[in-house]
């Protein structure tokens, strides 16, 4: 460790730095002083909204090298005034959690484990199954002959954690397909 | 809330579940407001409240009804407000009979179906009109589906998420003196006359002194100068009469003049980032965007029938333009294919025939009627009530698509779910194909969330999603593209709605559609004329002639002038308290709904202290810091032309502009499927007899008498002591719903690693459960193991001579092997009994047994559950008795008879009310909570035996759960 120069003595720093009570920068170690917060080295800051409860706290997402490196409360938000709860404060791990799965997985009928599958293939397979299920359980009319024009073969659940625009497209597509069984967290 | 003088938090643990929002309660308190927490448990909210009022869960109507009675009896209601702005003076049909007359039933009850005919609840009209109840925006499920008798209730409380149902045509008769015996005010007064402090003490377990404190504090803080606010969460909604709990508060708030005013209202604390948005732009079976109902076979067979059921041209207010909103939606979806000649492609919409809710759909899976299932950020294996039914249902699917961030329990039940352990399912025998598709998270896509006060906030994209992760927007878009490609050239009429769909969104280099283009479609635009292609700036610009389109009329304005108004971010510190330049709130950027009521009938603020908007006579318009929720130039004294309809029919003192009569509803002449006035019934599995009526439980509740949904015996039935305690479920700050976004994160998992229960030292002593030791909790549906947290925060309650022990259970854990932490799921204990207005389950008051130690493993677990069931003598019928009034149709007992008086049994009951979450239905929005809006209707044949039962039979039954 390098010798402290006279000017580096804490008591001197205490008076030269303006931290006269010795509870601030005057008593930090060299290591601490060398640390730079991720928020200052970020390439950019993007305004966002917390994805947990419905309070709608403002977030600032710090990005470096095209990776999310930190998420903090947005002081500009009149709703949250910069605060986040433990969930919102942990939301950086929604991006970088080791448990996150980034590849498509597939379990075949009677299979005992996951297999990998190409994304395009998966979507193609799902589209085929969607149409087949739609046909299998299509109902033209009720027993009295009144038109129903629907399928009971497909259902969907979830919507309160995805965007309004996403809910809109989902509802539009399912309704056009005649799939009425759409539900989300508002039901429970 | 910061402007409130008194905040009552009931059915919510706001400090725990909405901690950052709670700063506004703290702010109000710092300014001198009183904060009162009414809850079975002492929680983080209680710790910072001025007063804790413990309550037996499920008895909220008794308490709130007694407050209504107190305000009326002591002349503490806000007379000018009530006379001018509510339906207190309206005269009700002479055939109307109250629960006080019929021993717990209202007139119009059909004991076969459990449904009410609302005709006798209607207003009496002046000679020029027809009174009728029968409007049905969103009663998309009134009729039963043949062959499926399972709980087709009406649901659709949500369909009134933006205002009340129709009331027929003409002018309701009024008695301005409020003395007419059939006036709403007198009916209300009689209805709650028996809701006394004594009833509160013996039913809710609240002392007369506590009641007095509560009543005085609320009424002293409700007048011209002061306002009181209520806040609730799923502690109210998750009951078999959850919507009625909220209505009781709405009645009280109207009586006290607290609606539409700063610091007043009813704050619905919802539990997901855009639970409000997903109700407005609904992924719900019974709704279309903007609270239009999905059409129902038999009643909405034509376009005209459909829109008339929503609102007629003769009625007052903005729902009279239902046809306009409907045409604009159809035009947005089907573009040129939607023409006047084909009724704007109305026949492209599929039809409902009953309740097709999530629980009914799970039962459909068990009958092998559903092939495929998409899970979009929801984890029903853990989060839905009766978890076993959910998992067994998924094992019947041909295919399952799970879109999430990590392998949630709903993606892995086929290899590590609880039923694999018990042997009920064998991995190698399960035919379900499972696709797990990784989802982009909130930083990896742009889009909007609508928070709990209707404010739409835009998120900007920070980074690209990794590897195979995609937004839901891209997935849905590409799925639609592929489906349309596969159907191209089809001449089948069934494929026309898909092929004619407007589905041409601009995409980026990765194929992700531009979310702003979707927002623009939701907002709407001019289709023809000089402004063709330009965005609409207000829904009042919409036309029913096809010259405009808009995907969700209440969101029109969010893209006004081609600017994404939801992305506005003028810092809060640079604005006034309303902060109208931060994001955008529907409708029309109004922050407090029905704010016309913040001024007196002459248009002057009720007081300087509580002013919000007022009439500027010189300018001839309403003005103030908020956007007036009223026709801007309608003078306070304005009277509509005879025969006027729609917005033009609103008088200058009709603040509730979405109501068909312009008034706040103390009494709901239409819409609430389980009664025009909230009435107390015991929760389904309650051990306590209903002190008011022979009718023990809500006669309209939706029941499912099935082997996989068994219920404990209730008050007065043998075997009830087998499940002597009450459990209630709730959330923790450190986790979120079923854990998909929290148990997968190391930070949060470390903060709350393990499933536990909260019990009192007395219950620990009684059961022999050791602090921090294991305990097993058994309900008629399941048995789970938990660690015991023994704490004085849980207090045994004395109710009618019995000690009620309650057990608190967080519901965030689930069984699986992929999350950082796992544990048994509280929701497995719950069964299904639903609120008929909302189809939401009873989750807050349930019966259980508790013993020390861990639960058995493997098939022995099932033996244990069975042993308790047989000891209790449970059959399919247990807890599923609909009518307990002696002569079912009408009461033969004189009012006042206490049906439980002679019974010996009362044990515990009550569970907590608390929790948070989502939910629900009628709620919506915050401040302003609409007054008396109501739910919709419908019938609901249930699957349960609905024969009568011996007097006093209770019921059990009940509930469910939560989640997500």
């Amino acid at each position: 460790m390098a010798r402290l120069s006279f000017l580096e003595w804490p008591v001197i720093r205490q008076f030269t730095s303006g931290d006269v009570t010795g509870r601030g920068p005057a008593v930090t170690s060299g290591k601490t002083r060398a640390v730079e917060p991720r928020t200052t080295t970020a390439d950019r800051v993007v305004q966002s909204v917390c994805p947990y409860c419905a309070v709608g706290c403002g977030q600032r997402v710090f990005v470096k090298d095209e990776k999310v490196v930190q998420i903090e409360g947005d002081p500009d938000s009149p709703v949250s005034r910069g605060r986040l709860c433990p969930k919102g404060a942990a939301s950086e791990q929604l991006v970088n959690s080791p448990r996150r799965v980034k590849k498509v997985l597939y379990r075949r009928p009677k299979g005992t484990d996951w297999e990998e599958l190409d994304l395009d293939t998966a979507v193609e397979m799902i589209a085929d199954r969607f149409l087949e299920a739609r046909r299998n359980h299509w109902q033209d009319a009720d027993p009295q002959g009144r038109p129903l024009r629907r399928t009971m073969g497909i259902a969907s659940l979830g919507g309160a954690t995805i965007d309004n625009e996403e809910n809109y497209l989902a509802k539009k597509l399912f309704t056009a397909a005649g799939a009425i069984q759409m539900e989300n967290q508002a039901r429970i | 809330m910061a402007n409130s003088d008194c905040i009552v938090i009931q059915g919510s643990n706001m400090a725990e579940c909405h901690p950052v929002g709670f700063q506004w309660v703290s702010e109000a308190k710092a300014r001198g407001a009183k904060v009162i927490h009414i809850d079975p448990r002492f929680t983080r909210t209680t710790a910072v409240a001025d007063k804790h009022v413990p309550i037996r869960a499920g008895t909220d109507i008794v308490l709130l009804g007694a407050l209504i009675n107190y305000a009326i009896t002591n002349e503490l209601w806000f007379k000018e407000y009530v006379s001018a702005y509510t339906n207190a003076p309206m005269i009700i049909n002479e055939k109307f009979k109250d629960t006080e007359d019929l021993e717990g039933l209202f007139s119009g009850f059909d004991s076969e179906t459990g449904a009410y005919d609302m005709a006798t609840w209607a207003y009496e009209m002046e000679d020029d009109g027809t009174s009728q109840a029968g409007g049905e925006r969103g009663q998309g499920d009134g009729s039963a589906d043949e062959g499926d008798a399972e709980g087709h209730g009406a649901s659709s409380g949500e369909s009134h998420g933006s205002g009340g149902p129709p009331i027929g045509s003409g002018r309701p008769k009024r008695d301005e003196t409020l003395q007419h015996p059939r006036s709403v005010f007198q009916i209300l007064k009689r209805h709650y006359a028996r809701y006394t402090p004594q009833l509160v003490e013996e039913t809710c377990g609240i002392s007369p002194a506590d009641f007095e404190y509560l009543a005085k504090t609320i009424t002293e803080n409700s007048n011209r100068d002061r306002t009181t606010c209520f806040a609730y969460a799923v502690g109210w909604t998750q009951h078999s009469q959850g919507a009625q709990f909220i209505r009781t508060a709405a009645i009280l708030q109207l009586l006290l003049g607290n609606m539409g005013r700063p610091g007043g209202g009813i704050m619905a604390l919802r539990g997901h980032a855009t639970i409000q948005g997903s109700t407005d732009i609904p992924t719900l079976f019974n709704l279309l965007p903007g609270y239009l109902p999905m059409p129902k076979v038999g009643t909405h067979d034509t376009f005209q029938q459909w829109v008339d059921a929503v609102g007629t041209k003769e009625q007052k207010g903005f729902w009279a333009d239902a046809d306009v909103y409907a045409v604009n939606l159809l035009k947005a979806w089907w573009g040129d294919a939607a023409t006047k000649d084909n009724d704007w492609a109305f026949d492209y919409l599929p039809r409902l025939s009953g309740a097709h809710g999530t629980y009914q759909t799970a039962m459909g899976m068990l009958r092998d009627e559903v092939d495929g299932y998409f899970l979009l950020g929801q984890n029903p294996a853990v989060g839905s009530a009766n978890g076993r039914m959910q998992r067994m249902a998924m094992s019947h699917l041909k295919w399952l698509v799970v879109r999430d961030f990590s392998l949630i329990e709903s993606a892995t039940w086929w290899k590590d779910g609880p039923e694999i352990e018990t042997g009920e399912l064998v991995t190698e025998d399960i035919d379900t194909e499972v696709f797990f598709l990784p989802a982009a998270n909130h930083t990896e896509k742009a889009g909007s969330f609508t928070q709990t006060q209707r404010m739409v906030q835009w998120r900007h994209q920070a980074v690209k999603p990794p590897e195979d992760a995609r937004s839901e927007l891209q997935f849905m878009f590409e799925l639609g593209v592929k489906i349309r490609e596969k159907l191209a050239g089809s001449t089948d009429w069934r494929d026309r709605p898909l092929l004619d769909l407007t589905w041409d969104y601009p995409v980026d280099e990765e194929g992700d559609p531009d979310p702003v283009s979707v927002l623009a479609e939701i907002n709407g635009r001019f289709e023809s004329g000089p402004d063709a292609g330009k965005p609409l700036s207000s829904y009042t610009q919409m036309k029913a002639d096809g010259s405009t389109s808009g995907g969700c009329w209440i969101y029109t304005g969010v893209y006004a002038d081609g600017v994404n108004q939801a992305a506005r971010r003028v810092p809060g510190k640079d604005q006034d308290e309303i902060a109208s330049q931060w994001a955008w709130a529907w409708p029309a950027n109004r922050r407090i709904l029905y704010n016309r009521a913040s001024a007196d009938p002459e248009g002057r603020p009720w007081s300087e202290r509580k002013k919000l908007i007022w009439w500027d006579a010189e300018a001839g318009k309403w003005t103030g810091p908020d956007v007036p929720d009223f026709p801007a130039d309608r003078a306070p004294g304005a009277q509509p032309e005879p025969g006027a309809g729609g917005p033009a029919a609103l008088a200058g003192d009709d603040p509730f502009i979405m109501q068909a009569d312009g008034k706040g509803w103390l009494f709901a002449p239409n819409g609430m499927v389980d009664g025009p006035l909230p009435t107390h019934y015991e929760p389904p599995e309650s051990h306590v007899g209903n002190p008011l009526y022979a009718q023990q439980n809500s006669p309209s509740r939706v029941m499912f008498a099935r082997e996989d949904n068994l219920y404990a015996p209730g008050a007065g039935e043998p075997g009830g002591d087998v499940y002597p305690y009450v459990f209630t479920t709730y959330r923790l700050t450190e986790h979120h719903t079923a854990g998909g976004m929290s148990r997968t994160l190391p930070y949060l998992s470390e903060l709350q690693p393990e499933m536990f229960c909260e019990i009192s030292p007395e219950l620990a002593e009684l059961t022999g459960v050791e602090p921090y030791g294991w305990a097993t909790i058994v309900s008629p549906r399941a048995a789970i193991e938990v660690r015991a947290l023994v704490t004085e925060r849980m207090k045994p309650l004395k109710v009618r001579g019995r000690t009620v022990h309650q057990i608190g259970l967080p519901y965030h854990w689930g069984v699986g092997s992929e999350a950082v932490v796992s544990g048994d799921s509280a929701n497995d204990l719950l069964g299904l009994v639903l609120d008929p207005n909302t189809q939401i389950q009873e989750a807050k008051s349930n019966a259980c047994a508790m013993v020390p130690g861990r639960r058995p493993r493997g098939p022995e677990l099932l033996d244990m559950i069975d042993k308790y069931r047989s000891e209790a003598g449970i059959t399919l019928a247990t807890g599923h008795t609909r009518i307990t009034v002696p002569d079912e149709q009408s009461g033969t007992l004189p009012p006042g008879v206490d049906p439980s008086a002679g019974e010996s049994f009362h044990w515990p009951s009550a569970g907590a009310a608390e929790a948070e979450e989502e939910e629900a239905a009628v709620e919506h929005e915050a401040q302003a909570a609409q007054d008396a809006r109501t739910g919709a209707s419908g019938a609901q044949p249930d699957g349960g035996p609905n024969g009568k039962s011996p007097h006093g039979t209770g019921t059990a039954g009940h509930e469910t759960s939560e989640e997500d």
Side-chain angles (χ1 to χ4, degrees), chain B residues 290-437:
Chain B
Y291 298 96
L292 294 166
M294 283 286 286
K296 186 178 66 181
V297 68
T299 50
H300 302 149
D301 290 334
T302 68
F303 177 82
Q304 204 58 45
Q305 284 174 352
W306 178 51
V307 298
D308 282 351
V310 182
T312 63
K313 286 296 172 195
E314 293 78 40
Q315 75 180 47
K316 284 190 184 195
F318 287 88
W319 271 119
D321 289 332
D323 59 333
V324 179
Y325 315 141
V327 170
N328 278 269
L329 169 65
L330 296 172
K331 200 71 192 160
W333 283 9
W334 285 295
D336 293 342
T339 64
K340 187 167 180 12
D341 292 339
N342 69 0
D343 277 333
W344 314 104
F346 170 67
D347 283 342
Y348 282 12
L349 293 174
R351 304 293 196 265
L352 307 182
S353 57
H356 311 288
T358 181
Y359 295 118
Q360 288 91 350
T361 297
M363 294 172 206
M365 292 174 193
L366 288 165
R367 293 190 300 266
D368 295 319
E369 293 170 4
V370 181
D371 286 358
Y373 197 24
F374 291 85
L375 294 179
L376 311 174
Q378 191 164 346
N379 189 9
V382 178
S384 291
N386 199 336
R388 178 179 172 278
M389 188 195 289
Q390 293 288 327
R391 295 182 295 266
M392 295 303 282
M394 286 191 276
S395 77
H396 282 250
L397 293 166
K398 285 190 180 162
W399 50 272
L400 169 68
V401 176
V402 180
R403 293 190 45 82
D404 219 302
F405 306 139
S406 50
L407 290 170
I408 56 175
E409 290 76 8
S410 297
T412 63
W413 50 269
W414 50 270
K415 62 172 183 170
D416 58 15
E419 288 70 30
I420 300 292
E421 186 198 299
T422 59
E424 292 170 276
L425 291 176
V426 176
T427 301
E428 291 80 357
D429 296 341
I430 299 170
D431 286 323
T432 311
E433 207 177 8
V434 185
F435 296 87
F436 178 84
L437 268 52

Side-chain angles (χ1 to χ4, degrees), chain B residues 690-838:
Chain B
N690 188 342
L692 287 164
Y693 308 114
Q695 180 58 35
Q696 170 74 359
N697 308 117
S698 168
S700 307
R701 69 195 190 282
V702 179
M703 298 183 283
F704 306 93
R706 303 165 48 103
E707 291 289 350
D708 55 3
N709 194 47
L710 296 172
Y711 273 78
E717 291 182 304
D721 53 348
V722 175
Y723 303 98
Y725 314 122
V726 174
F727 72 94
T728 189
T729 58
Y730 51 82
R731 280 191 188 189
L732 303 169
T733 297
E734 296 80 6
H735 281 300
H736 190 239
T737 67
M741 289 167 67
S742 65
R743 280 186 295 107
T744 50
L745 307 192
Y747 292 153
L748 295 172
S749 297
E750 186 173 345
L751 288 170
Q752 286 286 6
E754 199 166 15
M755 174 64 185
F756 62 91
C757 69
E758 284 184 79
I759 57 173
S760 66
E762 292 86 347
L763 183 58
E765 173 84 29
L766 189 65
T767 56
V769 169
E770 296 285 332
Y772 311 112
W774 288 99
T776 295
I777 297 174
V778 191
S779 83
R781 280 77 57 181
I784 66 168
E785 64 183 20
V786 297
R787 293 283 192 171
L789 175 60
V790 179
T791 168
E792 291 181 5
R793 294 195 301 262
M794 300 299 288
K795 294 267 186 224
L797 283 178
K798 281 276 183 193
V799 175
R800 308 183 94 197
R802 299 292 307 210
T803 303
V804 176
H805 289 287
Q806 304 185 88
I807 299 171
L809 292 173
Y811 74 90
H812 303 294
W813 282 267
V815 174
S817 52
E818 299 289 344
V820 180
V821 292
S822 59
D824 282 359
S825 170
N827 284 332
D828 283 8
L829 295 173
L830 297 171
L832 297 173
V833 162
L834 314 180
D835 177 323
N837 290 291
T838 62

Side-chain angles (χ1 to χ4, degrees), chain B residues 330-565:
Chain B
L330 296 172
K331 200 71 192 160
W333 283 9
W334 285 295
D336 293 342
T339 64
K340 187 167 180 12
D341 292 339
N342 69 0
D343 277 333
W344 314 104
F346 170 67
D347 283 342
Y348 282 12
L349 293 174
R351 304 293 196 265
L352 307 182
S353 57
H356 311 288
T358 181
Y359 295 118
Q360 288 91 350
T361 297
M363 294 172 206
M365 292 174 193
L366 288 165
R367 293 190 300 266
D368 295 319
E369 293 170 4
V370 181
D371 286 358
Y373 197 24
F374 291 85
L375 294 179
L376 311 174
Q378 191 164 346
N379 189 9
V382 178
S384 291
N386 199 336
R388 178 179 172 278
M389 188 195 289
Q390 293 288 327
R391 295 182 295 266
M392 295 303 282
M394 286 191 276
S395 77
H396 282 250
L397 293 166
K398 285 190 180 162
W399 50 272
L400 169 68
V401 176
V402 180
R403 293 190 45 82
D404 219 302
F405 306 139
S406 50
L407 290 170
I408 56 175
E409 290 76 8
S410 297
T412 63
W413 50 269
W414 50 270
K415 62 172 183 170
D416 58 15
E419 288 70 30
I420 300 292
E421 186 198 299
T422 59
E424 292 170 276
L425 291 176
V426 176
T427 301
E428 291 80 357
D429 296 341
I430 299 170
D431 286 323
T432 311
E433 207 177 8
V434 185
F435 296 87
F436 178 84
L437 268 52
N441 67 38
H442 74 296
T443 65
E444 293 160 353
K445 61 188 182 186
S448 65
F449 286 152
T450 304
Q451 54 83 275
T452 200
Q453 288 163 294
R454 294 170 286 107
M455 185 164 68
V456 187
Q457 300 189 103
W458 191 262
R459 298 183 334 273
H460 298 282
Q461 184 179 29
V463 292
K464 300 272 188 204
E467 304 184 44
D468 288 349
R470 296 289 181 272
S471 66
E472 256 42 60
L473 203 68
Q474 183 166 0
F475 172 73
M476 281 298 160
F477 177 68
E478 289 180 353
L479 181 63
V481 168
K482 282 204 192 298
I483 286 171
R484 283 153 51 94
E485 279 170 8
K486 290 175 192 292
L487 294 177
S490 165
T491 53
D492 189 335
W493 60 268
R494 297 172 187 86
D495 298 332
R496 286 321 316 162
L498 279 167
L499 293 172
D500 289 342
L501 201 61
T502 55
W503 203 255
D504 47 358
Y505 304 98
V507 298
D508 67 12
E509 61 276 17
E510 268 92 33
D512 203 2
D514 177 9
V516 175
S517 69
V518 181
L519 185 74
E521 178 177 320
I522 292 169
N523 177 85
R525 65 179 187 203
F526 292 98
E527 291 289 336
S528 56
D531 294 322
K534 288 192 183 157
L536 301 175
S537 52
S538 157
Y539 63 78
T540 54
Q541 293 175 325
M542 286 180 163
K543 298 276 187 288
D545 60 5
S547 63
T548 60
S549 69
C552 182
W553 69 278
I554 55 178
Y555 277 56
T556 303
V558 71
Y559 195 61
D561 306 321
V563 173
N564 184 346
Q565 307 285 338

Side-chain angles (χ1 to χ4, degrees), chain B residues 1 4-9 24-25 28 33-36 228-229 231:
Chain B
M1 291 180 94
S4 297
D5 299 296
C6 173
I7 297 174
V8 181
I9 301 170
W24 301 106
V25 175
K34 290 282 185 217
V35 177
I36 302 173
T228 292
C229 171

Side-chain angles (χ1 to χ4, degrees), chain B residues 45-315:
Chain B
T45 302
T46 322
V48 290
D50 290 293
K51 176 83 180 166
H52 179 215
V53 180
I55 184 174
R56 179 167 72 92
T59 64
D60 301 57
I61 291 176
V62 172
L63 177 63
L64 295 164
L67 291 169
I68 290 170
N69 188 19
Y70 178 95
I72 293 176
T73 307
N74 296 293
E75 298 281 322
L76 295 168
W77 48 288
F78 195 152
K79 296 180 186 59
E80 290 156 282
Y81 184 105
V82 170
S83 305
Y85 297 161
T86 76
N87 68 354
M90 312 306 201
I91 310 296
I92 299 299
N93 190 302
E94 61 187 0
K95 295 199 179 114
F96 171 71
K97 291 272 189 283
D98 189 71
T99 42
E100 293 291 280
D101 308 319
L102 301 179
E103 196 50 47
L105 299 175
F106 291 99
S107 49
F109 191 72
D110 180 340
S111 58
E112 291 298 308
T113 63
Y116 278 105
D117 172 351
M118 302 178 201
T120 61
W121 312 346
Y123 292 148
E124 198 162 278
M125 295 294 189
E126 299 288 356
D127 297 338
D128 56 356
T130 52
S131 67
Q132 55 108 134
E136 40 189 295
R137 170 149 33 90
Q139 306 183 58
D141 27 277
S143 67
D145 207 2
E146 283 81 355
D148 173 10
E150 288 174 332
H152 275 190
S155 152
S156 317
E158 301 102 318
S159 53
H160 302 291
S162 184
I167 55 169
S169 63
R171 288 172 299 128
K173 282 188 183 163
R174 298 169 60 95
D175 171 25
E176 304 303 339
T177 69
L178 309 184
Q179 295 308 306
H180 191 293
R182 284 188 285 115
S183 67
V184 163
F185 187 76
Q186 293 298 327
I187 289 172
L188 184 73
K189 188 173 167 180
R190 289 196 298 274
H191 182 80
Y192 290 110
R194 287 199 293 149
Y195 289 65
T196 59
Q198 292 69 37
L199 184 75
V200 170
E201 182 176 28
E202 70 172 29
T203 309
C204 312
I206 295 172
S207 71
D210 280 357
F211 177 77
E212 179 74 12
Y213 172 89
L214 180 65
K216 277 187 92 144
T217 309
I218 291 173
T219 52
E220 283 170 4
N221 286 294
S222 301
N223 52 46
R224 282 176 175 269
D225 286 309
R226 309 181 76 80
T227 49
T228 292
C229 171
F230 274 76
Y232 76 94
V234 300
W236 272 359
T237 53
Q238 290 183 343
H239 287 279
S240 53
Q241 12 168 207
Q244 294 284 10
F245 282 23
I246 300 157
R247 268 226 4 107
T248 325
I251 293 168
L252 179 65
Q253 287 292 67
L254 282 169
L255 269 183
L256 298 175
N258 285 323
M259 301 306 285
R261 300 178 61 203
I266 300 176
M267 173 73 89
L269 296 163
R270 309 197 69 177
H272 292 79
T274 196
I275 189 86
Q276 184 62 49
S278 63
T279 314
D280 304 332
I281 298 173
T283 34
L284 293 169
F285 81 88
N286 55 324
L287 293 179
L288 287 165
Y291 298 96
L292 294 166
M294 283 286 286
K296 186 178 66 181
V297 68
T299 50
H300 302 149
D301 290 334
T302 68
F303 177 82
Q304 204 58 45
Q305 284 174 352
W306 178 51
V307 298
D308 282 351
V310 182
T312 63
K313 286 296 172 195
E314 293 78 40
Q315 75 180 47

